[in-house]
Amino acid sequence: MELSPMELFQKEAPEAAAAFNGLIQALIASEGLDQKTKQLIYIAMKTAMGDERAVRAHLPMAKGLGATREEILDAVLLTLTVSGISGVLKVLPLIVEMYDKQ
């Protein structure tokens, strides 16, 4: 079985991976934004980057925290003003398919 990029990162750079995981946990624990809003922001940032793998990971989390289809679509569409249409076109079909299946 082939390792995912994150598994490979953890295998090849365990100290850096542990530090990165600690950063993620600290960001999750911060109280400035609620968890649903944080997931919507992650989806928007990852859409802007065209990172389908990350969007695939964060969409179920956002939905599980109560994010509606419309909220997720708004987060995706907001990236148009920052990074243009490329990320939206790459991620939008995935968002629609995944949201409607779950």
Side-chain angles (χ1 to χ4, degrees), residues 49-62:
M49 296 173 64
D51 188 345
E52 293 175 70
R53 184 185 306 263
V55 170
R56 190 178 298 277
H58 286 279
L59 186 127
M61 289 186 257

Side-chain angles (χ1 to χ4, degrees), residues 59 69 72-73 91-102:
L59 186 127
R69 188 177 195 271
I72 293 170
L73 289 174
V91 170
L92 188 58
L94 171 70
I95 294 282
V96 170
E97 177 186 341
M98 283 186 68
Y99 196 92
D100 291 347
K101 279 187 178 180
Q102 295 181 354

